[in-house]
Amino acid sequence: MEDHLLGWLRTLDEDRLGRILANRPDAIAAPWPRRLDTLAQRLGNGFAVMETLRGLALPCLQLAEAALAMTRPTPETLARFLGMGQEEVIPWVEQLYDHALAWPGDDGTIRLAEGVARYWAAPLSLGEPLEHYLNSWSISNDALHALARGLGLPAQGNKRHTISRVIDTLGDAERLKTLMRGAPQGTVPLLDRFAWDGPALAVDGGRFVSPGTPEKWCADHGLLFRPSWHRAEIPREVALCLRGPGYIPPYLPVAPEVAAIPVDPEEVDHLMTLAAPHVVERCAALLDNASKTPLPLLKTGGVGVREVRRLAKETGCDEDETRLLLEVCAVARLLAWDEPSGGMIPTDRFDRWRLDEGSARLRVLLAAWWRMERSSLLKTDGKYGTVLGDEPGGNTVAEVRRSVLSVLAHLPAGTAFADRDSLLRSVRWHAPLIDVARLHECAPAVLDEAGLLGLLANNALTDLGRALAGLTAKPGDESDDAVPMVEHDPVLAEAATRALASVRRSALFGPDLTAVVTGPPSAELAALLDRVADRESRGAASVWRFTTPSVRRALDAGHEADELLDELAAVGTIPQPLEYLIRDTARRHGEVTVSTVGCVVQAADPTLLAEIAAHRRLGRLGLRLLAPTVLVSGVPADRTLAALREVGYSPVPVADSGTGAGEITIHRARAEEPVNGKLILLPGGQVAELADFPGVSELQAPAHMLLEPAPDPYEHARRLMAAGRLDDVKNGRTWAIIGRMATRLPTAQQSLLGFVVDRGVRAGITLTGGLTATISHGELKGGALDAWCEEAGDYLEFPLAEIVEVRGAY
C-alpha cells in the first residue's frame, strides 16, 4: 500500500503536497522527512491514520466506509451508491485526498490507506465479498462445482471462471429473488436478519447439516458461510441484494444547524474583560494561601471537600471556581505535592509565573485547561469528583472540550447557541468518533468551565475562546509540563492582552476606610488590597474595607507601616483617616512579644546561672537570662545538656511543663524538570551542550536554543520535490562512500552507519572530541553525514572522518 501512496505522491505538484503536509502535521514532525519514501511511511502509519481520522468531519468517514463496502469505487459510482450528486461527494473525497487517507489510482478508483480499512471490520455492517469466501482454502473444487450446479450454472471450466459465474449470479438482485422462490419456509427472515444485523451472527451449527432447514439450504446455495461451527456470515453482495434497490447508506454532507440567537458583542467583550483578570487574580490568591497553609490530601487521594470550602472562604472564591483553578494550577505545574510540608504547595514555577506579565500568566492557565484530562465541574450521580483525585477523565474529556469550542467557533461573532441539544448534534457531526455518552455527560461541565475562564459569555464564544479553539492541532496532554505552541501562539497572545486591557491598577480610597476599584483589578492591586484590607464585594466594582485587624494582619506578615503607606499611595490618594489607622495600629503593634526558645535552664543559685550565661564556650547556645534563677537556651534540651556537660557542669533533665515550640520554615516545592546534556546549534553550525552556558537553565533558555520549529509545509513540499529529482546516493553507493571516508570505524560499525542512511535507524555516535549524539534519518553529503540529532533537535552535519564509534540506540 505504501508503494501505491508513494507513486501518487510523486505525481503531485507542490501545492497539493503542501496541503497534505499542512493537514498532516504528524508527517513533518521532528525529525521531518527529507525523501518522499520516508514521507509515505509517515503518512501510512496506522496510528497516525487513526489520529487523523479523529479530526475529520462525518461526511469523510461516511464516504470512506461506503468506499470500503464497494468494489473498485470511483467518485461517480460512489455518488450513485449514496444517492447523491457528484458535487456533494467530490469535495469530501478531495478532503480525504488532502489528508492522504485516500488517493486516486491509475484507473480513477479510490484507494484507501490501510489504517482506514482496518478501522471498519465490517463497513456498513456488510461482510467480506463473495470472492473472499469462494477463494478460501476451505472451499474445495468439488464443493465449488456443487455450488455452481445448485445455482443452475455450468460446473465445467477452471476455478476462476466458476467463481466469476457464481458472483454474477448471487450479486444480481433479480436472479437472487428467483432463486429464493424455491427456498424452504423461514429462509427469508433468516437472511433478512443477517442482511441488516450481520454480517456475522451466532447460529446453531447442527441446523446447517440437517436436511430441509433454511440454514442448510442457504449454505448449499452460497448465501451463508460458516467460518466456525457456531458462527455464520453473509457475503457482501448477497446482503446488498437483500437490502433492496432502495437502500442508501447514511450520508450527511451538511452539518446540522446550531440553534442560535443574537447577543450584544460589546457585552460579550465586557464579560470577557471581567472574567479573564479575575482568573489570574484568583489563581494567585489560591496559590498564596497554599504557600501559607499547604493543602493536605486525603488517604484516597485528592483534596477533600472541607479543605476546598476553607480555601474558597479564605480567598473569596466560590467552590466551583476553587475546584477548577486548583486543578488548572496543578496541570500548569504551579502547584505540586511536597513531602516535607505534607501537602500541596506552590512550586518554583509559581514564583516565575507571578513575575511575568498578565497576558503570559493567563495563557499558561488557559493552555493547562486546554490539555487537562479531567473535568472539574463534572457531576456523577449528582456529586462532584474529588479535586485532584487519582481518576482523571482521560483524553476523552479533553477531546470533548476542544470539539465543543471548535463548533462554537463556527458561529458568527455576536451569536450564541440557543439550544444545547442542537449544539451537541453539530459536535457529533464535526467529531464523529467522539464517545457520544461521554460527550453528553461532559459538555455541560465544559461550558460552565469555559464561562468561568472568560472563554464563553452569554452562551457566545469570546475572542479569547475563539483564539483557543483554533489551537487543536497540537494541544499537548496532561503529562506535558508546558505547551509552547499554545502558550506562545500570537493570536492567543493578542486576545489575552485585549482581555486584560481593562484591568485597573489604581483604587479610590474613601474617608470611610474603604477602597473601591471600578473594574477588574490587576492581580498585583488585588494582592496588595487583600493583604491589608478585607474584601466586601466583587463584580463590576470591587470594594475593600480597612480595619484594625486587617492592618494588623499585614504587619504580622512582616510589612512596615511606611512600606504599606508607600505601596497604597502608588495606587491612589490616601485619605487622612486611613493613614491614622495604619500608623496607630503600627504604633501598638509589638507591645507584647513572643519568642521561641529551645529549652529552659533553672538553678537555685543565681551566681551559677550568671556564670553559665557568660561562659565563652557556651555562646553557641544563645543563652539569655530571664530572671536570676531562669535561663533560656536557643537550642533543644538534648544539645544544651550535652554542651553543659562538656564544659564541666552536671545538669539533669526535668519533665516538660508545657508544649515545645519549633521553628517554622516556609519553602517551595520543586517541580520535576528535565536535566540532560541537551545539544544546541550555534551560529556557524557548531554544536555545544546547554550546560556550557552557566546560569542558563532549560526553562530560561530562548526557545530557538531548545527546539527547532517544524518547517513550513509548502516550503518543505518544495524541498521534497527537489530531493526526489536530485537523489543520487542509491544502489549500494552508501556503503562504498562510508567505507572510504569513515576510516576510524570497524566494518561492523560502518554497516550500522549505512543503515542510518538507507533505513533511518537510530544510532549513537562519538566524535573525536568526545562529543556524543543520537542520530537517525541520515544522508551523505560529500564527506559528511547529514543526520537528525535528537539532542540538538535539528539536522546536523557530522564529518565521517571524525566519527570514532557507532553503537545501536534502542
Side-chain angles (χ1 to χ4, degrees):
M1 189 66 73
E2 284 178 5
D3 292 339
H4 295 296
L5 176 57
L6 177 59
W8 177 63
L9 292 175
R10 286 173 172 159
T11 66
L12 301 182
D13 57 24
E14 292 176 2
D15 182 65
R16 186 61 175 267
L17 185 57
R19 289 206 305 273
I20 291 174
L21 297 182
N23 290 327
R24 293 287 300 273
D26 59 283
I28 52 174
W32 41 87
R34 296 188 292 183
R35 298 195 300 260
L36 285 175
D37 56 346
T38 308
L39 176 63
Q41 292 175 359
R42 292 272 190 96
L43 293 173
N45 178 271
F47 180 78
V49 167
M50 273 303 306
E51 287 300 305
T52 305
L53 279 174
R54 299 188 74 85
L56 294 183
L58 181 61
C60 288
L61 271 67
Q62 290 177 327
L63 282 179
E65 186 178 9
L68 287 171
M70 298 176 64
T71 302
R72 304 178 65 80
T74 66
E76 295 77 15
T77 58
L78 188 58
R80 285 198 300 271
F81 184 44
L82 295 171
M84 294 283 177
Q86 292 188 35
E87 67 280 359
E88 294 175 296
V89 171
I90 291 179
W92 294 107
V93 173
E94 291 293 323
Q95 280 272 359
L96 290 173
Y97 291 170
D98 284 345
H99 287 79
L101 299 177
W103 54 91
D106 295 336
D107 54 356
T109 59
I110 300 173
R111 290 183 176 274
L112 292 164
E114 208 171 298
V116 176
R118 283 200 299 265
Y119 180 74
W120 285 281
L124 300 178
S125 297
L126 297 172
E128 299 288 345
L130 269 166
E131 186 177 7
H132 168 80
Y133 298 103
L134 298 178
N135 271 319
S136 172
W137 62 270
S138 61
I139 302 293
S140 65
N141 284 334
D142 291 341
L144 187 61
H145 291 155
L147 173 61
R149 286 191 294 271
L151 295 174
L153 301 174
Q156 63 270 21
N158 59 33
K159 183 176 182 180
R160 182 167 57 86
H161 289 151
T162 304
I163 289 175
S164 178
R165 287 192 290 266
V166 171
I167 291 175
D168 290 342
T169 298
L170 296 181
D172 186 301
E174 290 299 324
R175 295 167 75 176
L176 182 62
K177 185 177 180 180
T178 302
L179 175 67
M180 292 185 61
R181 288 175 184 158
Q185 187 176 3
T187 302
V188 172
L190 172 68
L191 289 176
D192 279 347
R193 188 164 64 90
F194 272 90
W196 292 102
D197 301 332
L201 295 175
V203 294
D204 179 1
R207 293 182 62 83
F208 278 79
V209 295
S210 301
T213 62
E215 288 83 355
K216 179 170 174 51
W217 185 89
C218 289
D220 291 342
H221 291 81
L223 303 181
L224 293 178
F225 291 84
R226 276 191 311 152
S228 63
W229 180 259
H230 290 296
R231 196 159 189 82
E233 299 176 0
I234 187 170
R236 180 180 302 172
E237 294 87 344
V238 176
L240 284 174
C241 289
L242 292 172
R243 292 183 183 184
Y247 169 70
I248 297 176
Y251 183 61
L252 190 63
V254 180
E257 186 176 354
V258 178
I261 56 174
V263 293
D264 184 2
E266 293 185 0
E267 184 179 356
V268 172
D269 284 344
H270 175 66
L271 293 174
M272 175 186 70
T273 59
L274 291 178
H278 180 75
V279 169
V280 178
E281 173 208 336
R282 290 299 89 195
C283 278
L286 288 172
L287 293 168
D288 276 332
N289 186 283
S291 68
K292 300 170 186 175
T293 309
L295 298 175
L297 298 183
L298 301 172
K299 291 182 179 180
T300 55
V303 180
V305 176
R306 185 180 303 173
E307 195 65 23
V308 171
R309 290 173 179 169
R310 176 197 66 79
L311 193 59
K313 181 178 180 181
E314 292 182 4
T315 58
C317 298
D318 60 43
E319 281 191 44
D320 287 355
E321 198 172 35
T322 303
R323 300 177 65 86
L324 173 62
L325 297 184
L326 280 177
E327 296 195 328
V328 167
C329 288
V331 175
R333 306 299 190 265
L334 302 176
L335 187 70
W337 169 260
D338 181 63
E339 190 68 36
S341 300
M344 303 285 289
I345 66 173
T347 67
D348 290 340
R349 295 186 180 186
F350 170 58
D351 295 323
R352 296 193 294 271
W353 175 82
R354 73 184 311 167
L355 294 176
D356 213 336
E357 51 99 13
S359 172
R361 280 180 278 172
L362 178 60
R363 296 197 306 271
V364 168
L365 299 175
L366 295 180
W369 180 74
W370 200 229
R371 66 182 185 272
M372 189 168 72
E373 297 179 357
R374 63 182 74 232
S375 179
S376 306
L377 304 185
L378 175 64
K379 288 187 176 181
T380 303
D381 296 330
K383 295 181 180 180
Y384 287 128
T386 304
V387 177
L388 298 175
D390 293 332
E391 297 182 1
N395 194 50
T396 305
V397 176
E399 290 179 357
V400 169
R401 183 179 296 123
R402 296 163 199 153
S403 300
V404 169
L405 261 67
S406 296
V407 170
L408 289 174
H410 286 88
L411 296 178
T415 305
F417 73 90
D419 175 41
R420 185 177 292 170
D421 291 337
S422 68
L423 171 64
L424 297 186
R425 283 195 297 271
S426 185
V427 170
R428 289 182 60 189
W429 187 89
H430 284 90
L433 296 185
I434 202 166
D435 188 307
V436 177
R438 197 67 170 157
L439 171 64
H440 285 268
E441 182 183 21
C442 296
V446 165
L447 294 172
D448 291 341
E449 292 170 11
L452 290 175
L453 295 173
L455 306 173
L456 194 70
N458 289 343
N459 287 342
L461 213 58
T462 65
D463 290 344
L464 200 58
R466 289 182 184 278
L468 190 62
L471 301 174
T472 57
K474 293 184 178 179
D477 55 56
E478 195 169 294
S479 62
D480 294 329
D481 288 345
V483 184
M485 296 293 290
V486 176
E487 295 174 12
H488 302 295
D489 179 74
V491 178
L492 182 62
E494 181 183 353
T497 301
R498 191 165 59 251
L500 298 176
S502 63
V503 297
R504 298 291 184 264
R505 293 178 171 80
S506 61
L508 301 175
F509 296 105
D512 58 347
L513 300 179
T514 59
V516 179
V517 180
T518 57
S522 67
E524 295 78 8
L525 177 59
L528 171 61
L529 295 177
D530 283 338
R531 189 162 63 239
V532 72
D534 296 320
R535 190 183 299 224
E536 291 188 338
S537 65
R538 65 179 70 243
S542 300
V543 179
W544 282 263
R545 182 170 297 279
F546 296 87
T547 62
T548 299
S550 69
V551 174
R552 188 188 305 122
R553 182 177 65 230
L555 297 173
D556 289 340
H559 299 283
E560 300 289 339
D562 291 337
E563 174 194 351
L564 293 175
L565 289 171
D566 289 343
E567 291 184 11
L568 293 173
V571 298
T573 303
I574 300 179
Q576 199 173 53
L578 178 55
E579 182 177 359
Y580 285 168
L581 173 66
I582 293 176
R583 293 199 180 279
D584 185 59
T585 305
R587 180 178 55 82
R588 290 180 292 153
H589 188 259
E591 290 177 340
V592 177
T593 61
V594 177
S595 298
T596 299
V597 298
C599 62
V600 178
V601 181
Q602 303 177 67
D605 185 357
T607 306
L608 177 59
L609 283 190
E611 177 187 328
I612 292 174
H615 203 294
R616 294 180 61 182
R617 292 178 60 186
L618 298 177
R620 65 182 184 275
L621 298 181
L623 299 172
R624 288 178 292 159
L625 201 60
L626 297 185
T629 58
V630 179
L631 191 69
V632 294
S633 171
V635 300
D638 54 346
R639 291 171 54 191
T640 302
L641 282 166
L644 290 172
R645 288 167 178 164
E646 184 181 340
V647 296
Y649 297 103
S650 302
V652 292
V654 295
D656 289 338
S657 58
T659 58
E663 183 180 356
I664 299 174
T665 302
I666 298 176
H667 63 284
R668 301 293 193 205
R670 294 190 61 85
E672 292 184 6
E673 299 174 2
V675 178
N676 52 40
K678 184 178 286 292
L679 299 180
I680 59 174
L681 185 63
L682 299 176
Q686 296 181 344
V687 177
E689 291 190 351
L690 188 62
D692 293 341
F693 295 86
V696 180
S697 70
E698 186 170 347
L699 291 176
Q700 296 168 335
H704 67 273
M705 293 176 63
L706 301 178
L707 181 65
E708 186 76 13
D712 176 81
Y714 293 92
E715 288 291 333
H716 198 64
R718 188 174 297 111
R719 288 194 291 268
L720 285 170
M721 302 294 288
R725 293 189 293 267
L726 301 175
D727 190 7
D728 59 354
V729 183
K730 289 186 182 296
N731 300 325
R733 292 189 59 195
T734 298
W735 274 270
I737 294 175
I738 291 176
R740 187 173 67 252
M741 303 297 295
T743 56
R744 297 174 182 266
L745 298 176
T747 303
Q749 294 185 20
Q750 288 180 350
S751 298
L752 178 56
L753 201 59
F755 283 115
V756 174
V757 176
D758 282 359
R759 301 186 184 179
V761 302
R762 295 174 71 241
I765 62 171
T766 302
L767 302 180
T768 52
L771 181 68
T772 62
T774 305
I775 61 171
S776 62
H777 300 84
E779 289 185 357
L780 295 177
K781 290 187 176 180
L785 173 66
D786 184 10
W788 178 263
C789 178
E790 295 184 5
E791 290 81 0
D794 198 0
Y795 283 99
L796 300 180
E797 291 188 10
F798 301 93
L800 288 171
E802 296 183 12
I803 301 176
V804 298
E805 183 188 10
V806 181
R807 58 198 172 277
Y810 306 105

